[in-house]
Amino acid sequence: MTTEDTTVANAGSTVERADLTPADPRRWWALALLCGLQFMILLDMTIVNVALPRIQESLGFTPSGLTWVVNGYVLMSGGLLLLGGRLGDVFGRRRLLLTGVVLFATASAVCGAAVAPAMMVAGRFGQGVAEAVAAPASLGMIALLFTDPKERNKALGLWGGLVALGGTLGYIVGGVLTDLASWRWIFYINVPVAVLVLMILPRIVAESRMVREKDFGLDVTGAITSTGGLFALVFALLSAADHPWGSVRVVLPLVAGIGLLGSTVVIEHRVRNPLIPLTFFANRTRSVVNGTSLFFMSAFISYTFMLTFFEQNVLGYSPLRSGLAWLPLGFAIGIGIGLGTATTPRFGVKAVAATGFIGAGVGLLLTSGIDTATSYPSGILPGMIVFGIFAGATMPAATNAALHGVTVQDSGLASGVQNTMQQIGSALGLAVLVTIAVRYTDHQLHRGLPVDAAVTTGYALAFRIGATLMVIGGLLIVMLFERVDPTPRNPLAEKVAETR
């Protein structure tokens, strides 16, 4: 064993081996490729929403069956993300990423060629599995490629930005392709991108995995209970969007999910090599930012979902016009990401993340002033710009906090936890906020309000609740975050560098 290896071994898991080696000169090219891949995956989460009416008409979906074009994706990705992240740590992040890319391309081709509802839903299930495999590995690799704290902050800012833009621009791209070409191209377009990644990625990114003992055994029981628990929980939330919270279809999987996740905690506490070490959650900053991600994504997804329906069903926008109406949000998020990346080193992760949450809440509050006579420039655009800038500023800081103190052992797990919370937050937003909007609309209809006015009041109420969640998230960050230095010194790495 060399002197350097001895130093690392004595340091334990608090210092990454990557910190003691020169930065990979290909890291920025690798970042561009990984961000492009993630952009494609997340684009597909929202791009399909605009095309749903055409897909229903073309394939003969029933209204209840059509929901599984969206829910099938969310269920598989939300249920498997945590496991996918840990498998990347254990078996190799590049290997898992390439596997996910192959699966995503195959599933996309199946969706594009679908001739029956079952074929489309099967393809969407496959796309969800692919995201669960590829997304945590991709983010985990970025965390290890960029060992310099300043560079890592920039890289994570770009990553977080493209995540948000992928979700936003999906409405635009979906509207353009659906109106001007065919809904099938929203899936076929993924195939050449995936082929490009498969050709280039192995040449510029090395394999990385956690250091394992010789007798390391995979915690199969923990994998089954954690994955089953997440599946049940996400299914309950998806069911709550269409069924009362007290119905068997919601209560049964909800109780089962909570029970299985509780069993996971007991199992992981007892086994020698836990799939999900409970010590990972001892870091208060990581735990808080992942918890507040539920609030952020609940408000974000329900905002884009309901505002799209408001524009098309109340204001009478076409899918293309509605899609293009989201362009300012994309630009605002880009500006916010730049501001967040630039200000985080100066003011700290806590200040930027908390300000972003609260500011985004103000943007939602502005949007809640909509009515049936709302014009886009005065009634929608101001709130959209405020929301976009502050939400964008939050993203690099929140991603930085989610990876706070993460080592080479757990980077995939950290990425999986963050992505899982985002997916659950998205499902929670659709299950709770959209349901509140629908039920308040029904209440207003019974009072004799016209349909468009009743629908609008329901959306406005949901926006105000989303704003409240954002502000609560910001206050929790202020109260509970540890001090996170975005450019920490690594004395051990500096000492080793001096001896070379």
Side-chain angles (χ1 to χ4, degrees):
M1 181 179 287
T2 64
T3 303
E4 182 177 303
D5 289 335
T6 304
T7 306
V8 175
N10 290 339
S13 63
T14 58
V15 178
E16 301 174 20
R17 289 181 183 273
D19 289 336
L20 309 182
T21 57
D24 191 328
R26 302 166 298 179
R27 62 195 181 280
W28 290 106
W29 289 106
L31 175 66
L33 193 66
L34 293 170
C35 284
L37 172 64
Q38 188 66 10
F39 178 80
M40 175 191 74
I41 292 174
L42 289 167
L43 190 73
D44 228 59
M45 287 180 60
T46 54
I47 196 173
V48 73
N49 290 336
V50 179
L52 283 176
R54 301 284 176 87
I55 293 174
Q56 181 179 20
E57 180 183 354
S58 177
L59 300 182
F61 270 100
T62 63
S64 59
L66 188 66
T67 61
W68 282 101
V69 177
V70 176
N71 292 352
Y73 186 106
V74 175
L75 179 65
M76 299 307 291
S77 59
L80 292 172
L81 272 164
L82 193 59
L83 178 61
R86 200 51 171 167
L87 291 179
D89 288 333
V90 175
F91 295 110
R93 299 175 185 95
R94 189 179 72 173
R95 177 183 297 175
L96 266 289
L97 177 61
L98 294 176
T99 301
V101 171
V102 171
L103 180 56
F104 195 80
T106 303
S108 296
V110 169
C111 289
V115 294
M119 188 174 177
M120 170 62 72
V121 172
R124 291 292 285 173
F125 270 69
Q127 285 186 316
V129 174
E131 186 198 350
V133 172
S138 183
L139 182 55
M141 290 167 70
I142 291 174
L144 299 179
L145 278 169
F146 292 87
T147 57
D148 177 79
K150 291 182 179 179
E151 286 192 345
R152 180 183 289 191
N153 186 50
K154 292 179 181 177
L156 293 178
L158 289 171
W159 169 272
L162 285 176
V163 167
L165 290 176
T168 302
L169 294 180
Y171 293 99
I172 301 171
V173 177
V176 171
L177 290 177
T178 301
D179 270 14
L180 304 182
S182 165
W183 63 263
R184 297 184 184 275
W185 281 102
I186 68 178
F187 300 108
Y188 284 144
I189 199 173
N190 297 328
V191 178
V193 177
V195 171
L196 184 66
V197 171
L198 291 171
M199 292 173 58
I200 299 176
L201 185 70
R203 300 175 183 271
I204 61 175
V205 178
E207 184 60 280
S208 64
R209 60 172 61 89
M210 66 188 294
V211 179
R212 292 186 287 169
E213 299 176 2
K214 291 183 179 180
D215 61 344
F216 181 90
L218 189 62
D219 175 20
V220 177
T221 306
I224 292 173
T225 56
S226 61
T227 303
L230 288 172
F231 264 118
L233 187 61
V234 174
F235 182 80
L237 293 174
L238 294 174
S239 298
D242 300 311
H243 299 82
W245 279 94
S247 66
V248 174
R249 192 178 176 90
V250 176
V251 172
L252 191 61
L254 188 63
V255 172
I258 293 172
L260 285 169
L261 291 177
S263 300
T264 302
V265 173
V266 176
I267 292 168
E268 301 306 88
H269 181 70
R270 294 179 177 179
V271 297
R272 180 182 177 188
N273 297 309
L275 183 75
I276 309 165
L278 298 182
T279 53
F280 174 86
F281 299 100
N283 184 291
R284 195 171 69 202
T285 293
R286 285 201 302 262
S287 297
V288 171
V289 79
N290 282 311
T292 54
S293 291
L294 292 173
F295 298 161
F296 185 93
M297 291 305 298
S298 293
F300 191 100
I301 293 298
S302 60
Y303 166 73
T304 57
F305 182 86
M306 287 186 286
L307 193 58
T308 298
F309 274 83
F310 171 72
E311 290 172 348
Q312 293 189 24
N313 296 338
V314 177
L315 300 184
Y317 290 9
S318 67
L320 179 59
R321 184 182 178 187
S322 178
L324 294 176
W326 287 107
L327 274 174
L329 180 63
F331 286 119
I333 288 174
I335 293 170
I337 289 161
L339 291 172
T341 303
T343 56
T344 296
R346 181 175 180 182
F347 299 107
V349 170
K350 177 195 284 190
V352 175
T355 302
F357 265 78
I358 294 171
V362 172
L364 287 176
L365 194 60
L366 290 174
T367 308
S368 70
I370 57 173
D371 57 43
T372 55
T374 290
S375 69
Y376 181 81
S378 62
I380 295 176
L381 190 59
M384 181 179 286
I385 292 175
V386 173
F387 178 79
I389 290 175
F390 282 97
T394 299
M395 290 164 187
T399 305
N400 197 311
L403 297 175
H404 175 51
V406 169
T407 69
V408 69
Q409 296 293 90
D410 296 323
S411 67
L413 174 61
S415 306
V417 170
Q418 185 194 34
N419 282 279
T420 298
M421 297 304 282
Q422 289 174 347
Q423 285 285 14
I424 292 176
S426 300
L428 195 62
L430 295 177
V432 177
L433 296 186
V434 174
T435 301
I436 288 174
V438 170
R439 291 178 182 172
Y440 190 73
T441 296
D442 290 340
H443 174 69
Q444 295 296 84
L445 287 171
H446 289 145
R447 294 181 56 197
L449 218 61
V451 174
D452 284 351
V455 169
T456 302
T457 58
Y459 291 154
L461 175 62
F463 291 150
R464 288 194 290 272
I465 295 173
T468 303
L469 291 176
M470 284 290 196
V471 172
I472 291 173
L475 294 176
L476 288 174
I477 289 172
V478 170
M479 294 186 292
L480 300 177
F481 256 34
E482 301 167 340
R483 185 182 183 277
V484 182
D485 185 353
T487 57
R489 292 175 65 250
N490 189 330
L492 179 57
E494 294 172 1
K495 183 177 181 180
V496 172
E498 290 171 0
T499 61
R500 292 181 171 176

